Amino acid sequence: GDSVTQMEGPVTLSEEAFLTINCTYTATGYPSLFWYVQYPGEGLQLLLKATKADDKGSNKGFEATYRKETTSFHLEKGSVQVSDSAVYFCALTRGNDMRFGAGTRLTVKP
Amino acid sequence: KAGVTQTPRYLIKTRGQQVTLSCSPISGHRSVSWYQQTPGQGLQFLFEYFSETQRNKGNFPGRFSGRQFSNSRSEMNVSTLELGDSALYLCASSLESSGRTGELFFGEGSRLTVL
């Protein structure tokens, strides 16, 4: 069945460091891909999405490119801030239900 | 515009009891999905309701059930609680069926502890 695999955390970075969180997927056809973020004590919220191959989703300085050849959707940010500390979830859908990865906890230290 | 509201936020039950959780979606949203979040299993899909009909169901036992009312509010019920049911239960609403857009709006969750 469809699934998403994320790099295991936790990830700890210093402020202004470069961030990459790896995400790969298994799905037949052409799923839509998403990154959601969960701040402490809150529900998940959509960060960015891409609906077809080679699309780049971006929001709040975060970017991810839908790579069908490597079945990947890695999340990147050039310079993280303390306020980016959260749990990040990669997800996919093929028009049915949403499948989420296990989540990667990011802690950014000043 | 009000977000997704889940009640109760916290509850403690004992094994064998049952529990009902409630979710009020964003006004105008017709789809409500439920997820179970645990440290070991991450986010697992329970079921989705759209216009009072169950659209999809995850791989959970029959002890987990849900329903949606005509005003789109949804409830989920877990009967004969087990220790392993301790989790954060998240509700998410969307304008259309969740798989069509993938844009889910999540509530803060109901944290269930089973003793």
Side-chain angles (χ1 to χ4, degrees):
Chain A
D2 297 349
S3 66
V4 175
T5 303
Q6 290 181 234
M7 65 184 285
E8 288 191 22
V11 174
T12 302
L13 296 173
S14 297
E15 208 164 22
E16 299 184 4
F18 184 85
L19 168 71
T20 299
I21 299 178
N22 290 339
C23 170
T24 57
Y25 68 89
T26 301
T28 55
Y30 301 91
S32 294
L33 303 174
F34 308 84
W35 278 100
Y36 277 80
V37 59
Q38 185 177 31
Y39 297 104
E42 298 183 13
L44 282 72
Q45 53 187 275
L46 179 64
L47 181 60
L48 53 84
K49 70 175 184 178
T51 57
K52 59 183 189 295
D54 300 325
D55 265 3
K56 177 186 283 189
S58 61
N59 186 25
K60 299 181 181 179
F62 290 89
E63 291 183 339
T65 301
Y66 188 163
R67 303 281 189 204
K68 186 151 180 69
E69 63 275 14
T70 54
T71 62
S72 65
F73 192 54
H74 305 321
L75 182 68
E76 297 182 335
K77 186 175 185 183
S79 176
V80 293
Q81 305 300 313
V82 172
S83 57
D84 294 327
S85 298
V87 182
Y88 293 82
F89 294 88
C90 188
L92 69 79
T93 183
R94 283 193 297 117
N96 38 26
D97 57 284
M98 293 280 289
R99 299 293 173 97
F100 288 84
T104 302
R105 181 176 298 279
L106 169 67
T107 300
V108 181
K109 299 192 170 180
Chain B
K1 170 158 134 171
V4 177
T5 304
Q6 291 188 245
T7 56
R9 290 291 312 281
Y10 303 92
L11 65 166
I12 299 173
K13 294 285 187 178
T14 56
R15 279 180 298 175
Q17 287 187 310
Q18 73 162 15
V19 66
T20 299
L21 308 178
S22 178
C23 173
S24 294
I26 290 172
S27 178
H29 285 194
R30 295 190 293 165
S31 168
V32 173
S33 300
W34 288 90
Y35 290 84
Q36 181 194 67
Q37 186 178 19
T38 59
Q41 300 294 320
L43 270 169
Q44 292 190 285
F45 173 71
L46 281 155
F47 28 66
E48 178 187 6
Y49 286 86
F50 183 82
S51 293
E52 301 179 68
T53 301
Q54 188 179 85
R55 272 277 175 102
N56 291 299
K57 191 176 190 307
N59 295 324
F60 278 81
R63 299 185 298 107
F64 292 81
S65 63
R67 59 178 173 168
Q68 187 178 33
F69 301 96
S70 58
N71 62 358
S72 293
R73 191 177 70 84
S74 176
E75 289 181 346
M76 68 163 281
N77 184 77
V78 187
S79 62
T80 320
L81 284 166
E82 301 176 0
L83 295 178
D85 297 333
S86 294
L88 181 67
Y89 290 88
L90 291 168
C91 165
S93 76
S94 56
L95 203 55
E96 300 183 28
S97 178
S98 64
R100 290 179 64 86
T101 66
E103 295 190 46
L104 302 180
F105 295 81
F106 282 82
E108 294 178 327
S110 292
R111 184 166 294 283
L112 170 65
T113 302
V114 182
L115 302 177

